[in-house]
Amino acid sequence: MRTERVRIEGTDFLTTLTLGGPVGLLALHGGVEGGTAELATEVAARTGATLLTFTQPTGPPAHIPSIRMSACAPLRTFLSHATLTISLHGHNRGATSRTIYVGGSNRPAARVLAVALADSAFTPVTSLADIPPPLRGLHPQNPVNQTRLGGVQLELPVLARTTHPAPTAPEIPPEEVVEGIVAGVGVLMGRESGR
């Protein structure tokens, strides 16, 4: 595990990088989208996946769009090591507080994760037509799409990221969501190992 401070667009971030298997777990907005860094960390620990999280140790939270986060060394290392990315994000859309949007350029991998999450209390949505455009994760400059096989962008509501209604440090992700993503990553790691 390597930690490194980086500065992007005037904001200081603490990155944590652990190189592991071919599937990579990424939390670009761990300091802003509560629970995403903790969820990525827990899934990577259980599966041996590669992990990169960004948190903001000081100052007011800043949300830098994903497409502008690709310049720092830890992210370049992550993208060159992993072959498939699962990027965890948070949405706060009240009307869909039980919906997990499953975007990103690798649609077969998106369906694997959706199936793995189907038994949870949340509804995974994979149809791009049903995912709000800002949550689709399809831009080619989005890091989720920059590994060799592209990736899956999971947009998680608050209740799928933390078991607490108010922010805590650290956030504690719901076990059913952890288990669902772990199962999906396990399938995807098996496919990558067989290549």
Side-chain angles (χ1 to χ4, degrees):
M1 179 175 72
R2 294 191 317 238
T3 59
E4 182 177 337
R5 287 185 182 267
V6 298
R7 191 166 181 82
I8 301 171
E9 296 188 6
T11 300
D12 291 319
F13 292 91
L14 181 65
T15 64
T16 302
L17 174 65
T18 303
L19 298 180
V23 174
L25 275 294
L26 180 61
L28 292 169
H29 304 123
V32 180
E33 297 170 351
T36 55
E38 292 84 356
L39 181 55
T41 300
E42 185 62 25
V43 172
R46 294 188 193 187
T47 62
T50 292
L51 171 71
L52 177 60
T53 62
F54 287 75
T55 56
Q56 296 174 37
T58 60
H63 187 283
I64 297 172
S66 299
I67 62 171
R68 301 202 316 249
M69 296 282 286
S70 60
C72 71
L75 185 53
R76 288 195 307 269
T77 300
F78 173 91
L79 293 173
S80 66
H81 181 81
T83 58
L84 172 72
T85 299
I86 299 168
S87 190
L88 304 182
H89 297 262
H91 76 80
N92 292 313
R93 294 172 183 248
T96 56
S97 63
R98 290 276 175 186
T99 300
I100 297 174
Y101 294 110
V102 190
S105 64
N106 190 317
R107 305 315 299 152
R111 287 186 284 279
V112 167
L113 283 165
V115 167
L117 287 162
D119 289 334
S120 73
F122 301 92
T123 303
V125 173
T126 58
S127 169
L128 292 173
D130 296 330
I131 300 175
L135 306 183
R136 291 178 183 161
L138 296 176
H139 196 288
Q141 288 180 308
N142 186 329
V144 72
N145 299 316
Q146 293 184 340
T147 44
R148 182 169 56 83
L149 298 177
V152 180
Q153 182 160 305
L154 290 179
E155 291 280 354
L156 301 141
V158 173
L159 294 173
R161 294 182 268 134
T162 181
T163 56
H164 300 286
T168 61
E171 300 283 359
I172 301 171
E175 185 61 25
E176 64 180 326
V177 175
V178 174
E179 289 178 356
I181 298 174
V182 164
V185 169
V187 171
L188 295 171
M189 291 270 265
R191 288 183 180 179
E192 283 304 287
S193 297
R195 285 184 188 267

